[in-house]
Short mmCIF file of all heavy atoms in Angstrom, two decimals:
data_model
loop_
_atom_site.label_atom_id
_atom_site.label_comp_id
_atom_site.label_asym_id
_atom_site.label_seq_id
_atom_site.Cartn_x
_atom_site.Cartn_y
_atom_site.Cartn_z
N GLU A 1 0.82 -1.23 0.05
CA GLU A 1 0.01 -0.07 0.01
C GLU A 1 0.88 1.31 -0.07
O GLU A 1 1.82 1.24 0.69
CB GLU A 1 -0.93 0.02 1.28
CG GLU A 1 -1.89 1.09 1.20
CD GLU A 1 -2.93 1.01 2.33
OE1 GLU A 1 -2.76 0.11 3.23
OE2 GLU A 1 -3.83 1.92 2.43
N ASN A 2 0.47 2.24 -0.86
CA ASN A 2 1.14 3.44 -0.81
C ASN A 2 0.13 4.52 -0.38
O ASN A 2 -0.74 4.94 -1.06
CB ASN A 2 1.61 3.76 -2.38
CG ASN A 2 2.31 5.12 -2.51
OD1 ASN A 2 2.34 6.01 -1.62
ND2 ASN A 2 2.69 5.34 -3.70
N THR A 3 0.44 5.03 0.89
CA THR A 3 -0.39 6.12 1.43
C THR A 3 0.00 7.50 1.03
O THR A 3 -0.58 8.48 1.51
CB THR A 3 -0.60 5.93 2.97
OG1 THR A 3 0.79 5.98 3.56
CG2 THR A 3 -1.19 4.52 3.31
N GLY A 4 1.16 7.68 0.32
CA GLY A 4 1.59 8.78 -0.04
C GLY A 4 0.83 9.51 -1.19
O GLY A 4 -0.12 8.91 -1.69
N ASP A 5 1.31 10.69 -1.78
CA ASP A 5 0.66 11.31 -2.85
C ASP A 5 1.41 11.28 -4.09
O ASP A 5 1.06 12.06 -5.01
CB ASP A 5 0.24 12.76 -2.40
CG ASP A 5 1.59 13.65 -1.93
OD1 ASP A 5 2.57 13.06 -2.03
OD2 ASP A 5 1.40 14.66 -1.54
N ALA A 6 2.25 10.30 -4.24
CA ALA A 6 3.01 10.18 -5.58
C ALA A 6 3.17 8.71 -5.72
O ALA A 6 3.45 7.91 -4.83
CB ALA A 6 4.39 10.70 -5.52
N ASP A 7 3.03 8.19 -7.02
CA ASP A 7 3.36 6.76 -7.23
C ASP A 7 4.71 6.46 -7.02
O ASP A 7 5.67 7.29 -6.92
CB ASP A 7 3.10 6.62 -8.85
CG ASP A 7 1.75 6.69 -9.32
OD1 ASP A 7 0.64 6.85 -8.55
OD2 ASP A 7 1.55 6.63 -10.60
N ASP A 8 5.02 5.13 -6.71
CA ASP A 8 6.16 4.60 -6.40
C ASP A 8 6.29 3.33 -7.35
O ASP A 8 5.23 2.93 -7.93
CB ASP A 8 6.46 4.31 -4.91
CG ASP A 8 7.88 4.37 -4.72
OD1 ASP A 8 8.75 4.16 -5.49
OD2 ASP A 8 8.41 4.43 -3.47
N ARG A 9 7.38 2.70 -7.32
CA ARG A 9 7.52 1.48 -7.99
C ARG A 9 8.46 0.44 -7.30
O ARG A 9 9.61 0.80 -6.80
CB ARG A 9 8.18 1.71 -9.48
CG ARG A 9 8.35 0.50 -10.25
CD ARG A 9 8.90 0.93 -11.69
NE ARG A 9 8.06 1.76 -12.44
CZ ARG A 9 7.20 1.33 -13.29
NH1 ARG A 9 6.95 -0.02 -13.49
NH2 ARG A 9 6.46 2.18 -13.99
N LEU A 10 7.94 -0.79 -7.06
CA LEU A 10 8.74 -1.85 -6.58
C LEU A 10 9.76 -2.29 -7.73
O LEU A 10 9.17 -2.82 -8.69
CB LEU A 10 7.92 -3.04 -6.01
CG LEU A 10 8.63 -4.23 -5.44
CD1 LEU A 10 9.55 -3.85 -4.29
CD2 LEU A 10 7.62 -5.31 -5.05
N VAL A 11 11.03 -2.15 -7.56
CA VAL A 11 11.80 -2.30 -8.67
C VAL A 11 12.81 -3.53 -8.53
O VAL A 11 13.33 -4.06 -9.47
CB VAL A 11 12.76 -1.10 -8.98
CG1 VAL A 11 11.95 0.08 -9.46
CG2 VAL A 11 13.56 -0.61 -7.83
N ALA A 12 12.97 -4.02 -7.32
CA ALA A 12 13.77 -5.13 -7.04
C ALA A 12 13.45 -5.85 -5.64
O ALA A 12 12.79 -5.20 -4.94
CB ALA A 12 15.21 -4.78 -7.10
N VAL A 13 13.89 -6.94 -5.54
CA VAL A 13 13.66 -7.68 -4.31
C VAL A 13 14.89 -8.58 -4.10
O VAL A 13 15.51 -9.06 -5.03
CB VAL A 13 12.44 -8.54 -4.28
CG1 VAL A 13 12.35 -9.68 -5.49
CG2 VAL A 13 12.03 -9.21 -3.03
N ARG A 14 15.35 -8.68 -2.84
CA ARG A 14 16.62 -9.52 -2.49
C ARG A 14 16.21 -10.39 -1.30
O ARG A 14 15.44 -9.98 -0.40
CB ARG A 14 17.71 -8.62 -2.22
CG ARG A 14 18.19 -7.78 -3.26
CD ARG A 14 19.45 -7.08 -3.02
NE ARG A 14 19.43 -6.29 -1.85
CZ ARG A 14 19.25 -4.94 -1.86
NH1 ARG A 14 18.96 -4.30 -2.99
NH2 ARG A 14 19.30 -4.24 -0.67
N SER A 15 16.86 -11.52 -1.27
CA SER A 15 16.80 -12.46 -0.14
C SER A 15 17.90 -13.37 -0.10
O SER A 15 18.28 -13.84 -1.13
CB SER A 15 15.41 -13.13 0.04
OG SER A 15 15.32 -13.97 1.05
N GLU A 16 18.45 -13.60 1.10
CA GLU A 16 19.34 -14.64 1.21
C GLU A 16 18.82 -16.17 1.21
O GLU A 16 19.55 -17.09 1.24
CB GLU A 16 20.21 -14.57 2.58
CG GLU A 16 20.92 -13.27 2.64
CD GLU A 16 22.10 -13.23 1.59
OE1 GLU A 16 22.89 -14.29 1.35
OE2 GLU A 16 22.38 -12.20 0.95
N ALA A 17 17.39 -16.25 1.17
CA ALA A 17 16.91 -17.48 1.11
C ALA A 17 17.09 -18.33 -0.16
O ALA A 17 16.73 -19.54 -0.11
CB ALA A 17 15.35 -17.33 1.38
N ALA A 18 17.48 -17.56 -1.27
CA ALA A 18 17.52 -18.35 -2.50
C ALA A 18 18.79 -17.81 -3.30
O ALA A 18 19.11 -16.63 -3.07
CB ALA A 18 16.20 -18.13 -3.27
N VAL A 19 19.15 -18.48 -4.42
CA VAL A 19 20.21 -18.25 -5.22
C VAL A 19 19.77 -16.86 -5.98
O VAL A 19 20.48 -15.97 -6.24
CB VAL A 19 20.54 -19.32 -6.15
CG1 VAL A 19 21.54 -18.88 -7.21
CG2 VAL A 19 21.08 -20.49 -5.38
N ARG A 20 18.43 -16.98 -6.55
CA ARG A 20 17.98 -15.80 -7.35
C ARG A 20 16.56 -15.44 -6.72
O ARG A 20 15.67 -16.34 -6.41
CB ARG A 20 17.66 -16.07 -8.74
CG ARG A 20 19.08 -16.11 -9.59
CD ARG A 20 18.98 -16.43 -10.96
NE ARG A 20 17.81 -15.95 -11.62
CZ ARG A 20 17.28 -16.50 -12.75
NH1 ARG A 20 17.91 -17.48 -13.41
NH2 ARG A 20 16.22 -15.96 -13.46
N VAL A 21 16.21 -14.14 -6.70
CA VAL A 21 14.92 -13.80 -6.32
C VAL A 21 14.51 -12.61 -7.28
O VAL A 21 15.25 -11.70 -7.50
CB VAL A 21 14.96 -13.22 -4.80
CG1 VAL A 21 13.57 -12.77 -4.31
CG2 VAL A 21 15.66 -14.10 -3.95
N GLU A 22 13.33 -12.84 -7.80
CA GLU A 22 12.82 -11.86 -8.83
C GLU A 22 11.42 -11.53 -8.62
O GLU A 22 10.63 -12.21 -7.92
CB GLU A 22 12.97 -12.63 -10.28
CG GLU A 22 14.36 -12.83 -10.65
CD GLU A 22 14.46 -13.66 -11.88
OE1 GLU A 22 13.49 -14.15 -12.45
OE2 GLU A 22 15.67 -13.87 -12.52
N LEU A 23 11.02 -10.45 -9.25
CA LEU A 23 9.65 -10.04 -9.34
C LEU A 23 9.00 -10.75 -10.64
O LEU A 23 9.69 -10.60 -11.71
CB LEU A 23 9.44 -8.57 -9.55
CG LEU A 23 10.12 -7.67 -8.27
CD1 LEU A 23 10.13 -6.25 -8.73
CD2 LEU A 23 9.17 -7.96 -7.04
N HIS A 24 7.80 -11.39 -10.34
CA HIS A 24 7.29 -12.24 -11.47
C HIS A 24 5.76 -11.99 -11.58
O HIS A 24 5.15 -11.42 -10.75
CB HIS A 24 7.45 -13.69 -11.09
CG HIS A 24 8.67 -14.35 -11.57
ND1 HIS A 24 8.81 -15.79 -11.99
CD2 HIS A 24 10.00 -13.86 -11.63
CE1 HIS A 24 10.08 -15.94 -12.19
NE2 HIS A 24 10.77 -14.84 -12.16
N THR A 25 5.42 -12.36 -12.83
CA THR A 25 3.99 -12.41 -13.15
C THR A 25 3.57 -13.58 -13.91
O THR A 25 4.54 -14.26 -14.28
CB THR A 25 3.44 -11.06 -13.74
OG1 THR A 25 2.01 -10.91 -13.72
CG2 THR A 25 3.93 -11.04 -15.25
N HIS A 26 2.31 -13.85 -14.12
CA HIS A 26 1.75 -14.92 -14.98
C HIS A 26 1.15 -14.41 -16.19
O HIS A 26 0.46 -13.28 -16.18
CB HIS A 26 0.70 -15.62 -14.28
CG HIS A 26 1.26 -16.38 -13.03
ND1 HIS A 26 1.21 -15.86 -11.72
CD2 HIS A 26 1.88 -17.55 -12.90
CE1 HIS A 26 1.63 -16.74 -10.98
NE2 HIS A 26 2.16 -17.87 -11.58
N ILE A 27 1.39 -14.98 -17.46
CA ILE A 27 0.83 -14.63 -18.63
C ILE A 27 0.01 -15.79 -19.14
O ILE A 27 0.48 -16.88 -19.28
CB ILE A 27 1.98 -14.29 -19.61
CG1 ILE A 27 2.78 -13.02 -19.08
CG2 ILE A 27 1.34 -13.94 -21.00
CD1 ILE A 27 3.91 -12.68 -19.90
N ASP A 28 -1.19 -15.52 -19.53
CA ASP A 28 -2.12 -16.57 -20.06
C ASP A 28 -1.71 -16.81 -21.46
O ASP A 28 -1.73 -15.97 -22.30
CB ASP A 28 -3.54 -16.02 -19.93
CG ASP A 28 -4.62 -17.03 -20.43
OD1 ASP A 28 -4.14 -18.22 -20.83
OD2 ASP A 28 -5.73 -16.85 -20.22
N GLN A 29 -1.36 -18.14 -21.62
CA GLN A 29 -0.84 -18.58 -23.05
C GLN A 29 -2.08 -19.27 -23.75
O GLN A 29 -1.91 -19.67 -24.81
CB GLN A 29 0.24 -19.57 -22.88
CG GLN A 29 1.54 -18.89 -22.44
CD GLN A 29 2.75 -19.70 -22.53
OE1 GLN A 29 2.86 -20.89 -21.92
NE2 GLN A 29 3.75 -19.25 -23.32
N GLY A 30 -3.20 -19.29 -23.08
CA GLY A 30 -4.48 -19.99 -23.73
C GLY A 30 -4.33 -21.43 -23.37
O GLY A 30 -3.34 -21.96 -22.92
N GLY A 31 -5.49 -22.07 -23.55
CA GLY A 31 -5.68 -23.39 -23.26
C GLY A 31 -5.42 -23.84 -21.77
O GLY A 31 -5.10 -25.02 -21.57
N GLY A 32 -5.53 -22.82 -20.86
CA GLY A 32 -5.54 -23.22 -19.52
C GLY A 32 -4.08 -23.22 -19.03
O GLY A 32 -3.71 -23.65 -17.91
N VAL A 33 -3.10 -22.74 -19.85
CA VAL A 33 -1.71 -22.73 -19.53
C VAL A 33 -1.14 -21.33 -19.23
O VAL A 33 -1.54 -20.39 -19.91
CB VAL A 33 -0.84 -23.38 -20.51
CG1 VAL A 33 0.71 -23.27 -20.31
CG2 VAL A 33 -1.25 -24.78 -20.79
N MET A 34 -0.73 -21.12 -18.00
CA MET A 34 -0.14 -19.92 -17.62
C MET A 34 1.52 -19.96 -17.68
O MET A 34 2.05 -21.11 -17.20
CB MET A 34 -0.54 -19.41 -16.25
CG MET A 34 -2.08 -19.40 -16.07
SD MET A 34 -2.73 -18.09 -16.92
CE MET A 34 -2.32 -16.74 -15.83
#
């Protein structure tokens, strides 16, 4: 949540829990496959 009066952007994420940590989304490829 952004309670400020200007947009912001989540640009990266880091964690020691994994070798790589990224921001991801899902794209519908049709036929029930994401």
Side-chain angles (χ1 to χ4, degrees):
E1 184 173 6
N2 179 353
T3 59
D5 56 2
D7 290 354
D8 203 345
R9 182 180 294 272
L10 176 62
V11 293
V13 62
R14 295 190 303 267
S15 177
E16 293 296 318
V19 175
R20 283 182 36 202
V21 185
E22 298 175 347
L23 298 171
H24 273 211
T25 196
H26 294 96
I27 298 173
D28 187 349
Q29 294 190 300
V33 175
M34 300 291 283

